[in-house]
Amino acid sequence: MRGFKAAAVASGLKKVHGPDLALIVSERAATAAGVFTANKVKAAPVILSQKNIQSAKATAIIANAGNANACTGNPGLADAECTADLVGKALGISPDEILVASTGVIGQRLDMDKVKKAIPGLKAALTPEGIPVAAQAIMTTDSFPKISHFDSFSGDRPYRILGLAKGAGMIMPNMATMLCFILTDIQIAPEPLQKVLSASTEKTFNRISVDGDTSTNDMVLMLANGMAGNTALKEKDLARFQEGLTGVMEDLARMIVKDGEGATKRVDVVINNALSAKDALKAARTVANSSLVKTAFYGQDPNWGRIMAALGRAGVEMDETRVDIRINDVQIVSGGLGRGVEAEKRAAKIMTQPEFVLSIDLHQGSYRDHIITSDLTHEYININADYRT
Amino acid sequence: MRGFKAAAVASGLKKVHGPDLALIVSERAATAAGVFTANKVKAAPVILSQKNIQSAKATAIIANAGNANACTGNPGLADAECTADLVGKALGISPDEILVASTGVIGQRLDMDKVKKAIPGLKAALTPEGIPVAAQAIMTTDSFPKISHFDSFSGDRPYRILGLAKGAGMIMPNMATMLCFILTDIQIAPEPLQKVLSASTEKTFNRISVDGDTSTNDMVLMLANGMAGNTALKEKDLARFQEGLTGVMEDLARMIVKDGEGATKRVDVVINNALSAKDALKAARTVANSSLVKTAFYGQDPNWGRIMAALGRAGVEMDETRVDIRINDVQIVSGGLGRGVEAEKRAAKIMTQPEFVLSIDLHQGSYRDHIITSDLTHEYININADYRT
């Protein structure tokens, strides 16, 4: 990745020993954009990064796992600022150019001694090949690191978009991932960068759900350092760039659901022919978040009664006698009525696969939307009943 | 219970052999009131009972478990009507005076042969002592029958309110229980009966949640046969009656949560000092329905970060620096900050008990509301991943 270096070290912030502090640095100040959690309870690093990104310029991202630095009040904000200061001093740049991200347990102070001690080693380890270890360092209950990239040209200049993310729990409709960092060497002005990032977030991370909870720490940060050397993006190139960015984010979003806490299935819940765009999204979210539907996914049971019941309470325009439901290409409900045991058997067989599509046709209008969700499993309970203890 | 008889038989509608068809009959036509599911997908018995109750008069309730007769279209509605016809003929009354209720699997036709065969035996078994077996017959995944009563006087005439209910799953904020039947011998006009029933439902069944799903079959039916022989209720007596009714329904609602699918804890989530009544209820529901909060209850972990995160996404007026959180009398959060390990240890000890109160003070206004909820457990997953298979 041209003009970016990264590194990670084990600072001791994570309970289980391993890399837990990551640093990503651009060779020169980059154009920066960000999307932040919609939760009213915002972690200290969210507050600080929102402030620092107002200049639309940033040079480095420092991220830790193990401690969210959320619900820590002014002392927590001071800790986030101190982290930026330490990184700024180490790199010889202003702390305003540092974006800070944290993920982990809420309500505990960051151990700043550990952060302080780790920073020289972190700086020394910076390398152009450091992204994979950085992606590993930001994991919490994730079971694998999440990286995706896209290559294209702007005019005759090649460029790359590279994204890394962590997810797993507290994944929900509004600002879905915990952390996602996207790096690109393209040259782009702040406004279009923020615009494409927001649009791609809406289409990708805001369309996944693991457990219906929104984190206090969610953020998507993007740095564009311009080292591809392209001139101003033309409309055609911008469209291509947008497409590539959405592709990278879609990849990461799907990885997050696949790696959802305890998940064994990834299900694309699609609503077709809703009366409005709002209805389409609302219906998809209600079905995708229903505990009963999600346990039926886990049980590999095409229990369409639960799907109908979820649609009926979604608060959308619907008439049960017009609803069709399919699992992949197998129709199990037609006009609100079950299509019988044979269809259900075929659907149940599809549901043994790790991925399938649940599509619902409301026959009310022409709007479509979808939510990618996971099943609700024993392992989810294991992870979340024991997470802190 | 003066003037009421009940019975139940094993008709074979339930997979596991046992009583599954219940009949409750008043000696004379009773004043009737009802509250029905808010789900747009309404089961056939809901549609029929809503129609039959319009006259505010009913003589009998027939209820089956094992099959919900929901999402069964016009044939399903015909089955519900046929059930009422059969009962009407057996009892020598008009089918319009029969209320029908069903609970069980959605999307399958009722086996009317079984119903037909069972009705003579059901009629023959009617007895004033039949309520407990009726309460047992309407159970599905319930682990115990739910009955509560209240005795009082109207003027110098004693009267009783007796309620029976079934719950377990698909229990959620709006019309929470699956089925509840309330019998009383008081003499009361239709309008005040419906008024007190609706008000008591709002305070009790609409304040509990097991899994955030609303059933297609929920109903609360009430029959008042007037055999207490009291004259028109005076205001003071009406207030007492309302209080007694709310008490009975509150009892049943708490039993439903206690018996929530897989539940090991019953938690009263109380919001204090919200800016509006709407905010108080919304915040209570969001916290009470959060999968992460509910698994923390199961894990006996005072994980207040998850509670803060749920409050932050509830869409209510809040300022994290003003939030106080208590488990029973132990304060774990003050002004949005944790009160330390000692407080959490004491809270964790309280959380080992089967019942406790989570109270949250928003310090925004003066409104209060609550939701009674359960924990999210391995057993919930067991029950719901395997329910149909």
Side-chain angles (χ1 to χ4, degrees):
Chain A
M1 191 65 214
R2 194 157 28 190
F4 286 98
K5 289 181 179 176
V9 294
S11 71
L13 289 171
K14 253 189 210 164
K15 239 190 200 172
V16 180
H17 189 76
D20 54 17
L21 193 63
L23 180 62
I24 300 171
V25 183
S26 172
E27 261 181 46
R28 57 192 205 199
T31 302
V35 180
F36 298 87
T37 183
N39 199 309
K40 286 192 184 177
V41 177
K42 290 183 203 316
V46 170
I47 295 167
L48 181 64
S49 294
Q50 278 186 308
K51 187 179 133 235
N52 285 353
I53 214 164
Q54 275 172 15
S55 65
K57 223 182 76 176
T59 304
I61 298 170
I62 174 99
N64 76 277
N67 185 318
N69 193 10
C71 301
T72 45
N74 286 328
L77 192 56
D79 291 341
E81 284 166 347
C82 175
T83 305
D85 279 345
L86 290 166
V87 173
K89 268 182 200 135
L91 299 176
I93 55 175
S94 159
D96 299 351
E97 291 180 38
I98 317 288
L99 302 175
V100 180
S102 296
T103 173
V105 178
I106 299 178
Q108 291 174 11
R109 290 282 302 276
L110 260 181
D111 186 335
M112 288 308 295
D113 275 348
K114 287 178 179 167
V115 174
K116 201 169 180 176
K117 273 183 198 151
I119 285 182
L122 197 55
K123 188 197 162 192
L126 282 169
T127 154
E129 285 74 43
I131 295 294
V133 66
Q136 213 154 16
I138 58 174
M139 288 164 54
T140 52
T141 53
D142 301 61
S143 67
F144 60 88
K146 296 159 187 73
I147 299 178
S148 176
H149 75 272
F150 167 82
D151 289 302
S152 187
F153 285 85
S154 171
D156 61 349
R157 308 303 298 248
Y159 72 87
R160 168 169 283 198
I161 301 171
L162 184 148
L164 58 156
K166 64 93 41 202
M170 273 208 184
I171 300 301
M172 116 102 176
N174 245 316
M175 253 324 291
T177 188
M178 293 283 286
L179 301 178
C180 174
F181 310 135
I182 301 168
L183 313 174
T184 178
D185 51 1
I186 208 165
Q187 165 96 18
I188 185 169
E191 270 180 41
L193 184 67
Q194 182 64 53
K195 211 176 131 191
V196 295
L197 183 66
S198 296
S200 293
T201 300
E202 190 56 28
K203 280 190 207 158
T204 57
F205 293 120
N206 284 353
R207 289 295 181 278
I208 63 176
S209 175
V210 170
D211 54 15
D213 274 291
T214 313
S215 158
T216 51
N217 288 55
D218 291 339
M219 58 173 88
V220 178
L221 301 175
M222 185 158 183
L223 301 183
N225 70 9
M227 293 184 74
N230 60 303
T231 47
L233 279 171
K234 283 180 200 132
E235 203 156 308
K236 174 177 69 72
D237 287 343
L238 186 63
R240 184 86 185 110
F241 176 70
Q242 167 91 66
E243 204 178 294
L245 177 61
T246 302
V248 166
M249 290 170 75
E250 179 78 18
D251 268 4
L252 295 170
R254 287 184 177 269
M255 286 182 213
I256 286 172
V257 179
K258 191 186 179 72
D259 199 19
E261 289 179 341
T264 70
K265 311 273 175 205
R266 180 166 62 186
V267 186
D268 204 340
V269 177
V270 180
I271 302 291
N272 288 305
N273 297 318
L275 191 62
S276 66
K278 210 176 152 190
D279 270 13
L281 181 56
K282 216 168 168 187
R285 280 192 177 158
T286 305
V287 173
N289 279 327
S290 159
S291 294
L292 284 169
V293 171
K294 285 159 75 85
T295 44
F297 290 157
Y298 180 48
Q300 308 180 347
D301 178 6
N303 193 326
W304 56 270
R306 295 182 184 174
I307 298 165
M308 292 292 290
L311 290 170
R313 70 174 163 89
V316 304
E317 283 302 320
M318 69 152 319
D319 170 356
E320 73 173 277
T321 67
R322 294 164 84 176
V323 175
D324 295 339
I325 300 178
R326 284 178 177 79
I327 303 285
N328 285 357
D329 57 337
V330 175
Q331 186 165 1
I332 52 172
V333 170
S334 173
L337 298 175
R339 298 201 71 213
V341 176
E342 270 319 302
E344 288 190 20
K345 270 188 190 158
R346 286 167 57 212
K349 202 173 164 197
I350 292 167
M351 292 175 79
T352 61
Q353 295 165 16
E355 285 177 40
F356 53 87
V357 178
L358 163 63
S359 64
I360 297 161
D361 198 322
L362 295 177
H363 291 293
Q364 293 287 327
S366 58
Y367 290 86
R368 183 186 186 283
D369 212 324
H370 78 127
I371 291 284
I372 305 167
T373 190
S374 58
D375 53 350
L376 178 58
T377 70
H378 288 111
E379 190 57 20
Y380 177 86
I381 309 284
N382 285 341
I383 292 169
N384 286 298
D386 301 337
Y387 183 39
R388 290 208 325 184
T389 50
Chain B
M1 190 65 213
R2 194 156 28 187
F4 286 98
K5 289 180 179 177
V9 294
S11 70
L13 289 170
K14 253 188 209 167
K15 240 192 200 167
V16 180
H17 188 76
D20 55 15
L21 193 63
L23 179 63
I24 300 170
V25 183
S26 172
E27 260 182 46
R28 58 192 204 200
T31 302
V35 181
F36 297 88
T37 183
N39 199 309
K40 286 192 184 179
V41 177
K42 290 184 204 313
V46 171
I47 295 167
L48 181 64
S49 294
Q50 277 186 309
K51 189 179 132 238
N52 286 353
I53 214 163
Q54 275 172 15
S55 65
K57 224 182 75 174
T59 304
I61 299 169
I62 174 99
N64 77 277
N67 185 318
N69 193 10
C71 301
T72 45
N74 286 328
L77 193 55
D79 291 341
E81 284 165 349
C82 175
T83 305
D85 279 345
L86 291 165
V87 173
K89 268 181 200 135
L91 299 176
I93 55 174
S94 160
D96 299 352
E97 292 180 36
I98 317 287
L99 302 175
V100 181
S102 298
T103 172
V105 178
I106 299 178
Q108 291 174 10
R109 290 282 301 276
L110 260 181
D111 187 336
M112 288 308 294
D113 276 348
K114 289 180 179 165
V115 175
K116 203 170 177 174
K117 273 182 200 152
I119 285 182
L122 197 56
K123 188 197 161 192
L126 283 170
T127 156
E129 284 74 44
I131 295 293
V133 67
Q136 213 155 15
I138 58 173
M139 287 164 54
T140 53
T141 53
D142 301 62
S143 67
F144 61 88
K146 295 158 188 74
I147 300 178
S148 176
H149 75 272
F150 167 82
D151 290 304
S152 187
F153 285 85
S154 171
D156 60 349
R157 308 304 300 249
Y159 72 87
R160 168 168 284 197
I161 301 171
L162 184 147
L164 58 156
K166 63 92 43 200
M170 272 210 184
I171 301 301
M172 116 103 173
N174 245 316
M175 251 326 290
T177 187
M178 294 281 287
L179 302 178
C180 174
F181 309 136
I182 301 166
L183 313 174
T184 179
D185 50 2
I186 208 166
Q187 166 97 18
I188 185 169
E191 270 181 41
L193 185 67
Q194 182 65 54
K195 212 177 130 191
V196 294
L197 183 66
S198 296
S200 292
T201 301
E202 190 55 29
K203 280 190 208 157
T204 57
F205 293 120
N206 283 354
R207 290 295 183 278
I208 63 176
S209 176
V210 171
D211 54 14
D213 273 291
T214 314
S215 158
T216 52
N217 287 55
D218 291 339
M219 59 172 89
V220 178
L221 301 175
M222 183 157 184
L223 301 183
N225 69 8
M227 293 184 74
N230 58 303
T231 48
L233 279 171
K234 285 182 196 126
E235 203 157 307
K236 174 178 68 74
D237 287 344
L238 186 64
R240 183 86 185 113
F241 177 71
Q242 167 90 68
E243 204 178 293
L245 178 62
T246 302
V248 166
M249 291 171 73
E250 178 78 18
D251 268 4
L252 295 170
R254 287 185 177 269
M255 286 181 213
I256 286 172
V257 179
K258 189 183 179 73
D259 199 19
E261 289 179 341
T264 70
K265 310 273 174 205
R266 181 165 62 186
V267 186
D268 204 340
V269 177
V270 180
I271 303 290
N272 288 305
N273 297 318
L275 191 61
S276 66
K278 209 176 152 190
D279 270 13
L281 181 55
K282 215 168 170 188
R285 281 192 174 155
T286 306
V287 173
N289 279 327
S290 159
S291 293
L292 285 169
V293 171
K294 284 160 75 86
T295 44
F297 290 157
Y298 181 46
Q300 308 181 345
D301 177 6
N303 193 326
W304 57 269
R306 294 183 184 174
I307 298 165
M308 291 292 291
L311 290 170
R313 71 174 164 88
V316 304
E317 283 302 321
M318 71 155 313
D319 170 355
E320 73 175 277
T321 66
R322 294 165 84 175
V323 175
D324 294 338
I325 301 178
R326 284 179 178 79
I327 303 287
N328 285 358
D329 57 337
V330 175
Q331 185 165 3
I332 52 173
V333 171
S334 172
L337 298 175
R339 298 201 70 210
V341 176
E342 270 318 302
E344 288 189 21
K345 269 188 191 159
R346 286 167 57 211
K349 202 172 166 201
I350 293 167
M351 292 175 78
T352 62
Q353 295 166 16
E355 286 176 39
F356 53 87
V357 178
L358 164 63
S359 63
I360 297 161
D361 197 323
L362 295 177
H363 291 295
Q364 293 287 325
S366 58
Y367 290 87
R368 183 186 186 282
D369 212 325
H370 78 127
I371 291 284
I372 304 168
T373 190
S374 58
D375 53 350
L376 178 58
T377 70
H378 287 110
E379 189 58 18
Y380 177 86
I381 309 284
N382 285 341
I383 292 169
N384 285 298
D386 300 338
Y387 182 40
R388 291 208 324 183
T389 51

